[in-house]
Amino acid sequence: MLADIQTDDLTAVVRYALETTRATTACPFHCDVIVRIGDDAAESHAFERAKRIIRSDGTKWDKEALRIEIGRQLGAAADGCCPKCDPTASCA
């Protein structure tokens, strides 16, 4: 829920957008592992959702800052599956 996130924290805003559009998900067994689903439409939707989140001062986030943070979070996520659940899986 939007009321649960810090709208002035870029990292939290992007995490919220990625999770609620199902572009990423947390591993149900390893809460510290974020998994990238690999759905381009969901990732685009996450960017659009994040663009519409208003900060507490009434301004919107800079689009380039959002792109950079989305790229950073998607780059840090595991691709397709949790590497801790099956370290021998290719996860592709």
Side-chain angles (χ1 to χ4, degrees), residues 51-69:
K51 281 192 331 188
R52 288 169 176 73
I53 295 176
I54 306 296
R55 296 155 113 179
S56 64
D57 64 1
T59 61
K60 292 185 178 183
W61 286 98
D62 176 65
K63 291 176 187 176
E64 189 58 29
L66 289 171
R67 280 189 189 96
I68 291 169
E69 183 61 19

Side-chain angles (χ1 to χ4, degrees), residues 2-65:
L2 187 57
D4 295 339
I5 68 165
Q6 295 291 329
T7 58
D8 291 332
D9 180 1
L10 179 61
T11 302
V13 166
V14 169
R15 184 180 316 115
Y16 167 82
L18 290 169
E19 288 177 358
T20 58
T21 59
R22 302 197 197 291
T24 62
T25 188
C27 173
F29 305 107
H30 303 99
C31 60
D32 61 326
V33 177
I34 302 297
V35 178
R36 181 179 186 175
I37 304 304
D39 182 347
D40 292 338
E43 292 172 9
S44 295
H45 186 193
F47 176 71
E48 293 301 319
R49 179 168 288 176
K51 281 192 331 188
R52 288 169 176 73
I53 295 176
I54 306 296
R55 296 155 113 179
S56 64
D57 64 1
T59 61
K60 292 185 178 183
W61 286 98
D62 176 65
K63 291 176 187 176
E64 189 58 29

